[in-house]
Amino acid sequence: ENLQNYTVKLFDFQYDSIKRDAFRNFEAFPGPPAHWLFGHVKEFVKWGQKYPYAFPMWFGPFVCFMNIHHPDYVKTLLISTGPKDDLSYKFIESWLGEGLLVSKGQKWLRHRRLLTPGFHYDVLKPYVKLVSDSAKTMLDKWESYANTNESFELFKHVSLMTLDSILKCAFSDNSNCQTDSGTNAYIKAVYELSNLINLRFRTFPYHNDLIFYLSPHGFRYRKACKVAYSHTEEVIRKRKEALKEEKELDRVQAKRNLDFLDILLLARDEKQQGLSDEDIRAEVDTFMFEGHDTTASGISFILYSLACHPEHQKICREEIIQAMDGKDTMEWEDLSKIPYTTMCIKESLRLYPPVPGMSRKITKPMTFFDGRTLPKGSHVGTSVYGIHRNAAVWENPNVFDPLRFLPENVSTRSPHAFVPFSAGPRNCIGQTFAMNELKVATALTLKRYQLIEDPAQKPMLIPRLVLRSLNGIHIKIKPVDPQE
């Protein structure tokens, strides 16, 4: 009993001291009152309107983040090279390893330098045809919905299509994952891991490794990790086998188009050192996840937005038909011929950013433009969703208006008002690949189908690692009438 009382007192003391430090650190930043148990998790968006720059946000009774959602604040954070926050990202690390998403310091810098050639436009060019092929496979499957007048759920189809694309483009792997019957085991594992990481972050007892390990959720997490790892290891093993004879990229390129995995396996730094097996697996896992889940969210919400706005959809379709000029495949040169469609894509990324938030742990005190300062060691969360819908920055922020992205309108805004791919030195290395994929998938879909809103099934947004809808994303489609 004495031990129990001592433990309770120790817990109370630690709780009070953590709470006291957090309040002292954030005293210059007023915020809403926090629920003693849930913190602010339940009321995230509405507080953004009351505190237009930043406010402290509690996740449970112990963890406090400074939540920022204004371009001038975000700029200060993103131009720094500070590491990703060690709390939320450490939960991702047990799955993705120390890939570009979570690594820091010299390791991050070295990897970034070694991987950048994988996103040169000479490497990206041949991918356009591969993405076109994957999109066409998906659109062929949609024939069964085209004449039914019934809505169907997009995300699961688009997810398979983007996985198919990343496997073909980055790993030269024709997996047929879109046409294989049954749900793809890897995709199921990624969904499971993404959901469990979010659950772990929101459930503060699960922040303790042992408690999480012993829980049923921890068991499910390890099982899903095993599936994801075996998938990755198989992809790497096959390529290593194929590259046994070749040690130089130029010789591989003479035979075929290079892909991301070639560059990963054959990359060498100035000391002629390559990446370790563990590093290679971490980067493959990171790109397999980042390269298909984020684009699946982006494409699904773009098609949903256009279904809800037939007047914009019509202009996009006319532009696409003219740009493609009778072809049934998008080519590299066509990507720059669809400016109105590109503006619609950006406006959908504004309203529905695939990565709704990011976080950092600052390594030195940070002073913002209004003179308020956060001490070293503070957790700072960037709400991309909040910035993109901040009424102090965007007029009628909840209205879909692609003309916001006309060059003359863009030039009047802070470059940090629109950050779907983050910004600064740690911005998304794959953003050109992602934008190309969004353009190809949108163009081929609109060329073939008219998208129609289903007012009975509106998405219920839920900010996971990647923006999702709790009830899926539903639309109806019908074949495009060539006479229209």
Side-chain angles (χ1 to χ4, degrees), residues 52-69:
Y53 292 103
F55 62 88
M57 184 168 155
W58 287 86
F59 287 81
F62 296 132
V63 180
C64 192
F65 273 77
M66 177 55 60
N67 179 63
I68 60 178
H69 51 99

Side-chain angles (χ1 to χ4, degrees), residues 218-452:
F219 175 76
R220 275 169 46 194
Y221 182 81
R222 292 191 297 281
K223 199 172 155 191
C225 273
K226 227 178 247 175
V227 173
Y229 290 160
S230 66
H231 179 266
T232 308
E233 277 161 5
E234 182 61 10
V235 167
I236 296 170
R237 188 192 60 73
K238 278 191 200 161
R239 179 59 53 84
K240 274 188 163 172
E241 195 65 34
L243 283 177
K244 260 190 178 155
E245 309 305 311
E246 303 296 349
K247 289 283 172 277
E248 287 173 17
L249 283 173
D250 293 348
R251 292 176 61 182
V252 178
Q253 198 162 11
K255 296 181 181 177
R256 58 175 169 78
N257 290 323
L258 281 182
D259 66 17
F260 174 68
L261 192 52
D262 291 322
I263 287 159
L264 210 50
L265 289 168
L266 298 177
R268 297 289 178 269
D269 60 19
E270 54 281 3
K271 295 177 187 162
Q272 290 307 301
Q273 295 295 305
L275 294 167
S276 70
D277 285 355
E278 192 184 336
D279 288 342
I280 288 167
R281 197 190 76 180
E283 296 302 357
V284 170
D285 277 329
T286 298
F287 278 89
M288 205 92 83
F289 167 63
E290 286 281 307
H292 97 268
D293 215 29
T294 49
T295 48
S297 175
I299 292 165
S300 301
F301 280 111
I302 288 161
L303 300 182
Y304 169 75
S305 297
L306 290 170
C308 296
H309 298 90
E311 68 285 14
H312 296 299
Q313 183 186 152
K314 187 169 184 291
I315 299 169
C316 291
R317 183 174 293 107
E318 287 164 0
E319 174 183 74
I320 289 158
I321 287 168
Q322 190 177 349
M324 290 180 69
D325 194 22
K327 301 184 305 243
D328 68 343
T329 293
M330 281 289 274
E331 290 170 8
W332 178 264
E333 293 69 29
D334 302 326
L335 298 173
S336 57
K337 296 176 188 170
I338 49 171
Y340 195 86
T341 308
T342 304
M343 292 195 299
C344 286
I345 289 170
K346 287 180 177 176
E347 178 64 345
S348 179
L349 291 175
R350 180 186 74 80
L351 286 167
Y352 305 106
V355 179
M358 309 169 273
S359 56
R360 298 262 177 100
K361 183 178 182 179
I362 57 177
T363 50
K364 49 182 189 271
M366 183 171 281
T367 302
F368 295 99
F369 77 98
D370 56 5
R372 294 190 288 181
T373 298
L374 283 174
K376 171 186 170 179
S378 299
H379 297 288
V380 188
T382 300
S383 170
V384 178
Y385 187 89
I387 297 163
H388 287 183
R389 292 185 184 236
N390 189 331
V393 180
W394 303 91
E395 201 177 326
N396 301 323
N398 299 321
V399 172
F400 184 87
D401 177 11
L403 300 183
R404 299 177 199 275
F405 290 96
L406 281 169
E408 57 269 32
N409 292 334
V410 172
S411 63
T412 64
R413 273 194 308 271
S414 158
H416 291 85
F418 178 65
V419 284
F421 299 107
S422 187
R426 292 202 68 142
N427 68 351
C428 170
I429 195 172
Q431 60 184 296
T432 306
F433 170 77
M435 273 306 284
N436 291 350
E437 184 168 16
L438 301 186
K439 288 180 187 181
V440 170
T442 304
L444 293 179
T445 304
L446 292 189
K447 183 173 184 287
R448 194 152 159 191
Y449 296 117
Q450 189 180 331
L451 313 178
I452 304 151

Side-chain angles (χ1 to χ4, degrees), residues 6-29:
Y6 173 74
T7 309
V8 168
K9 279 179 183 160
L10 183 65
F11 178 84
D12 284 344
F13 173 74
Q14 287 176 324
Y15 171 78
D16 287 342
S17 102
I18 292 167
K19 201 90 168 167
R20 207 168 35 247
D21 287 350
F23 278 129
R24 196 181 303 121
N25 290 350
F26 294 154
E27 63 191 347
F29 296 86

Side-chain angles (χ1 to χ4, degrees), residues 62-357:
F62 296 132
V63 180
C64 192
F65 273 77
M66 177 55 60
N67 179 63
I68 60 178
H69 51 99
H70 189 283
D72 297 338
Y73 262 55
V74 169
K75 178 183 178 182
T76 308
L77 183 71
L78 295 185
I79 58 174
S80 76
T81 52
K84 297 286 178 82
D85 149 58
D86 59 0
L87 182 71
S88 43
Y89 288 93
K90 88 167 183 185
F91 303 148
I92 300 175
E93 203 176 310
S94 58
W95 165 28
L96 297 181
E98 282 195 66
L100 271 187
L101 182 66
V102 291
S103 57
K104 48 185 176 277
Q106 285 306 307
K107 180 169 192 170
W108 170 79
L109 196 59
R110 178 174 179 260
H111 282 215
R112 180 87 183 202
R113 217 176 276 141
L114 288 174
L115 300 188
T116 296
F119 297 91
H120 189 275
Y121 80 94
D122 281 341
V123 176
L124 297 180
K125 244 179 181 172
Y127 291 175
V128 175
K129 181 177 181 329
L130 299 174
V131 173
S132 280
D133 291 344
S134 295
K136 281 191 275 188
T137 302
M138 176 182 77
L139 298 172
D140 286 345
K141 285 165 64 185
W142 288 6
E143 285 286 349
S144 57
Y145 304 112
N147 296 304
T148 63
N149 200 32
E150 284 176 23
S151 69
F152 68 103
E153 203 283 314
L154 280 177
F155 196 93
K156 61 174 186 267
H157 290 277
V158 177
S159 238
L160 281 170
M161 187 276 284
T162 57
L163 179 64
D164 192 20
S165 292
I166 198 82
L167 287 170
K168 278 181 189 156
C169 297
F171 307 107
S172 301
D173 180 0
N174 292 306
S175 67
N176 300 319
C177 65
Q178 294 197 73
T179 47
D180 285 352
S181 57
T183 308
N184 181 289
Y186 172 73
I187 285 229
K188 276 170 90 167
V190 168
Y191 281 2
E192 179 86 322
L193 290 165
S194 177
N195 287 333
L196 288 169
I197 287 166
N198 279 285
L199 175 79
R200 187 175 182 190
F201 184 62
R202 298 192 318 271
T203 312
F204 56 86
Y206 279 176
H207 290 192
N208 178 290
D209 289 340
L210 184 63
I211 292 174
F212 184 67
Y213 185 90
L214 295 172
S215 72
H217 291 116
F219 175 76
R220 275 169 46 194
Y221 182 81
R222 292 191 297 281
K223 199 172 155 191
C225 273
K226 227 178 247 175
V227 173
Y229 290 160
S230 66
H231 179 266
T232 308
E233 277 161 5
E234 182 61 10
V235 167
I236 296 170
R237 188 192 60 73
K238 278 191 200 161
R239 179 59 53 84
K240 274 188 163 172
E241 195 65 34
L243 283 177
K244 260 190 178 155
E245 309 305 311
E246 303 296 349
K247 289 283 172 277
E248 287 173 17
L249 283 173
D250 293 348
R251 292 176 61 182
V252 178
Q253 198 162 11
K255 296 181 181 177
R256 58 175 169 78
N257 290 323
L258 281 182
D259 66 17
F260 174 68
L261 192 52
D262 291 322
I263 287 159
L264 210 50
L265 289 168
L266 298 177
R268 297 289 178 269
D269 60 19
E270 54 281 3
K271 295 177 187 162
Q272 290 307 301
Q273 295 295 305
L275 294 167
S276 70
D277 285 355
E278 192 184 336
D279 288 342
I280 288 167
R281 197 190 76 180
E283 296 302 357
V284 170
D285 277 329
T286 298
F287 278 89
M288 205 92 83
F289 167 63
E290 286 281 307
H292 97 268
D293 215 29
T294 49
T295 48
S297 175
I299 292 165
S300 301
F301 280 111
I302 288 161
L303 300 182
Y304 169 75
S305 297
L306 290 170
C308 296
H309 298 90
E311 68 285 14
H312 296 299
Q313 183 186 152
K314 187 169 184 291
I315 299 169
C316 291
R317 183 174 293 107
E318 287 164 0
E319 174 183 74
I320 289 158
I321 287 168
Q322 190 177 349
M324 290 180 69
D325 194 22
K327 301 184 305 243
D328 68 343
T329 293
M330 281 289 274
E331 290 170 8
W332 178 264
E333 293 69 29
D334 302 326
L335 298 173
S336 57
K337 296 176 188 170
I338 49 171
Y340 195 86
T341 308
T342 304
M343 292 195 299
C344 286
I345 289 170
K346 287 180 177 176
E347 178 64 345
S348 179
L349 291 175
R350 180 186 74 80
L351 286 167
Y352 305 106
V355 179

